Amino acid sequence: MLANVPRLKALMRKDGFDAVIATCAENVTYLSGFWAMSQWVRRGPQAYVLFPGEGHEPTIIVNSSLLDLVPDQNPWISDIRRYGYFQIDTDRSVQLDAADQLQHQLFSSKAYKNSVDALVGAMKERGIERGTVGIDEMGITPQCMDQLQAALPDIKFVRCFSLFERVRAIKTPREIEILRHAARVTEGAIDAALSIAKEGVTEREMLRRFNAHLVENDAAPVVGCIGFGNRSAMINVQPSDRKLKNGDLIRFDVGGRYRHYRSDMSRGAALGDPGEKIRKYYAAVEKGVLRGYDIIKPGLRVADLFKEIVATVQREGIPHFARSHVGHGIGVDGYDPPNIAASSVDVLEEDMVICVETPYYELGFAGLQVEDMVRVTKDGAESLMSLPTGLRIL
Amino acid sequence: MLANVPRLKALMRKDGFDAVIATCAENVTYLSGFWAMSQWVRRGPQAYVLFPGEGHEPTIIVNSSLLDLVPDQNPWISDIRRYGYFQIDTDRSVQLDAADQLQHQLFSSKAYKNSVDALVGAMKERGIERGTVGIDEMGITPQCMDQLQAALPDIKFVRCFSLFERVRAIKTPREIEILRHAARVTEGAIDAALSIAKEGVTEREMLRRFNAHLVENDAAPVVGCIGFGNRSAMINVQPSDRKLKNGDLIRFDVGGRYRHYRSDMSRGAALGDPGEKIRKYYAAVEKGVLRGYDIIKPGLRVADLFKEIVATVQREGIPHFARSHVGHGIGVDGYDPPNIAASSVDVLEEDMVICVETPYYELGFAGLQVEDMVRVTKDGAESLMSLPTGLRIL
């Protein structure tokens, strides 16, 4: 299971929720394991998970047009309610295999008129008609929210996207396994991109090679910032026809999605000697990340992690180094809690998975960045990375 | 320019809007040409376009962390307001190139505290403090919407995502050019996937080849439904380790994203002779799509297009053929208007780009589908496709 259900239940009790409802793609998949394709690729399609807490069964609510995804995905929640019309025929002359039997059964179930009707039906059956219910406000449309409140006027609906974020901050073993694999595939894609580095190769050609490695390993491209020379200072540099020249720095800030989970990492390389300033500054940002490994452990205040990493980069070669954050959690979303910032009130906990990063952007010069994916262990830090952090000279 | 600005202005007048605000990724990019990366890859990051109609300049509102995207994308809207802190340094010892100069200038501009402050500032400067303002409800968070209404209590905000959809229904020349290229790349990916077809190849291996062709041609994978044999009847079949066998049908329902625009198409192939029923049923769904080409032209009622296509498939070999829709518009979103359904009140207009599709799913048997991308021309239909519609026997 992806979701940290004990933590969800604990936070629901703490916040006084009688039930919570996931509505955005990330939270629906996180909570149920069910990937409702249309809500991942468009705005508007509605899929929900009703999680009523103790004593009641959770429910997945999904458009009829997505029911075929159930057999292959085999979500742990078995109560699935559909809405909307979708025509499926069945060959009565053959013995259906197990997947087709399950589909046939799902398509024979009651079709609610729309997503809110299905949700309200499931809530009423469970006796949830008053009290306080958390609603993830990031996926339900305002129109559906209006309908839901009108259908259940005695319920106090409270926005709870941030509760889901707090639950997601502490990863389950299955999530860690997926994130580890996502990191490995993305590192392979960096290697693949750098394998074609030579004078005259373009940023775009390197991105194509990077993305090809991802898709050949069943991951999807998400962030592919690859910049050469002074373009490496562009924060989100989108690969162009800029050609690689001798002495150029190459900055990667890249990530993909593997089994719905994100990777996010950064490395630098150079074609030949990039010069003293780049070497010195790169070593400074690298030492900032390495300092993170020294001190990360459960109980460390995130604000202290921020301060110590920034101070390290300043001391090691970039005295004016300044940042809003030096990392963030990662999971089904690219930015889970904690945000590693001076203002954070969070404390590191075991099985957080965080990106630690120290990017430095200087227009007219270069962008230098090291970003690692790191798991907080019982008594320290485990890197999910295998690529060396050092500046790679090609 | 991507956006159909004359149509936007006309519909704003018709609906009585003094201004409209794009907030979701698709509408922000459509209206401004600006791709605000973070809102495309996550839920929550806020970017807006304020379009005040006649007499006032439009504005893009974006997080400081995305300003580097401006020089490469060169949006037609030049008033860009940023919010939030982001540290960027500048090398004062060198002459900045044009892109870096523009970045430096943008990073030197006033940083608003948050997205709503920036939006309210731009609205007040333009004297928009009362009247009726359309707000695209699909990208602004409920929290930001509350702040916006509180800051401008005399404005009547009206949800207008559907207005943007109606504007987007009629494509501009630039959009048609991009959609044509997106279709061509996706057809190439189908050919690439089929080039490895032989007994023992898996659905997943075919998807990898399909996706590799997309990314090698600068397109992103979005929908990759490729199913063999009875799995082809799964509506959104996600490629598995199922091996191709002689006589298997292969159904593709696939699409990608090229320069932010979607492709969506379907074809069938078979390894050897798939048998009479598949040949007959495939010919019926193919004839449904071909019938669309005969009758599509401006002025045709979409409901009549639906009825005629369904009747054709029924007459040509699947008497019980039934569908909720037989196609939809396509553009920056995968489902633009019109929805080709019996209940449609739309009429075809020149430069709509529509997907015409006649999928038939029978559990225990197969899924058969032809889907073409079609432009409505002045007096008929232009196919954006080059692949033959017929069942390809491998």
Side-chain angles (χ1 to χ4, degrees), chain B residues 206-218:
Chain B
M206 224 176 245
L207 176 67
R208 288 181 192 137
R209 194 64 205 88
F210 176 86
N211 284 340
H213 184 90
L214 289 184
V215 301
E216 283 157 8
N217 288 278
D218 304 328

Side-chain angles (χ1 to χ4, degrees), chain B residues 149-361:
Chain B
Q149 182 68 80
L152 292 166
D154 297 328
I155 288 184
K156 182 184 175 194
F157 286 103
V158 176
R159 296 169 188 162
C160 76
F161 180 77
S162 67
L163 177 138
F164 279 105
E165 286 188 311
R166 282 180 284 138
V167 175
R168 292 182 346 225
I170 310 298
K171 269 62 185 177
T172 58
R174 177 68 182 138
E175 289 186 288
I176 292 167
E177 184 188 344
I178 296 173
L179 285 165
R180 189 174 278 126
H181 190 85
R184 197 58 36 91
V185 169
T186 310
E187 290 187 314
I190 293 175
D191 278 342
L194 286 176
S195 74
I196 63 166
K198 61 176 184 183
E199 278 199 293
V201 164
T202 67
E203 292 170 345
R204 206 185 301 272
E205 286 165 344
M206 224 176 245
L207 176 67
R208 288 181 192 137
R209 194 64 205 88
F210 176 86
N211 284 340
H213 184 90
L214 289 184
V215 301
E216 283 157 8
N217 288 278
D218 304 328
V222 179
V223 172
C225 303
I226 304 176
F228 299 165
N230 69 311
R231 286 180 56 84
S232 67
M234 299 172 90
I235 307 166
N236 313 283
V237 58
Q238 295 299 296
S240 72
D241 292 327
R242 163 72 152 80
K243 288 185 164 67
L244 190 61
K245 293 184 297 204
N246 200 47
D248 270 343
L249 180 86
I250 306 167
R251 183 173 68 90
F252 287 82
D253 184 3
V254 290
R257 194 179 282 285
Y258 176 76
R259 297 200 172 192
H260 322 313
Y261 277 68
R262 292 280 303 270
S263 59
D264 185 6
M265 61 184 60
S266 185
R267 287 291 183 272
L271 189 66
D273 182 2
E276 190 193 339
K277 184 175 171 186
I278 283 179
R279 280 187 274 110
K280 178 183 162 193
Y281 277 30
Y282 189 95
V285 300
E286 182 191 6
K287 283 174 184 159
V289 171
L290 296 178
R291 180 66 185 142
Y293 281 107
D294 293 340
I295 60 175
I296 287 171
K297 63 176 181 182
L300 178 68
R301 291 178 61 235
V302 169
D304 290 340
L305 177 61
F306 173 85
K307 280 176 215 157
E308 183 61 24
I309 288 176
V310 170
T312 301
V313 178
Q314 290 171 340
R315 189 176 60 237
E316 295 291 341
I318 311 179
H320 54 285
F321 182 75
R323 279 289 292 170
S324 52
H325 73 80
V326 294
H328 50 83
I330 188 164
V332 71
D333 189 8
Y335 283 78
D336 274 353
N339 184 39
I340 308 175
S343 60
S344 174
V345 295
D346 291 328
V347 169
L348 291 183
E349 295 179 59
E350 187 178 357
D351 290 332
M352 283 180 166
V353 175
I354 56 179
C355 293
V356 178
E357 59 174 331
T358 46
Y360 174 78
Y361 311 99

Side-chain angles (χ1 to χ4, degrees), chain A residues 289-367:
Chain A
V289 172
L290 296 178
R291 181 66 186 141
Y293 282 107
D294 293 340
I295 60 175
I296 286 171
K297 63 176 181 182
L300 178 68
R301 291 179 58 236
V302 170
D304 289 340
L305 177 60
F306 173 85
K307 281 175 215 157
E308 183 60 24
I309 288 175
V310 170
T312 301
V313 178
Q314 290 170 340
R315 188 176 60 237
E316 295 291 343
I318 311 178
H320 55 285
F321 182 75
R323 280 289 292 170
S324 52
H325 72 80
V326 294
H328 50 84
I330 188 163
V332 71
D333 189 7
Y335 284 78
D336 273 352
N339 185 39
I340 307 174
S343 60
S344 173
V345 295
D346 291 329
V347 170
L348 291 183
E349 295 179 59
E350 186 179 357
D351 290 332
M352 283 181 166
V353 175
I354 56 179
C355 293
V356 178
E357 60 174 330
T358 48
Y360 174 78
Y361 310 99
E362 185 177 315
L363 297 176
F365 168 54

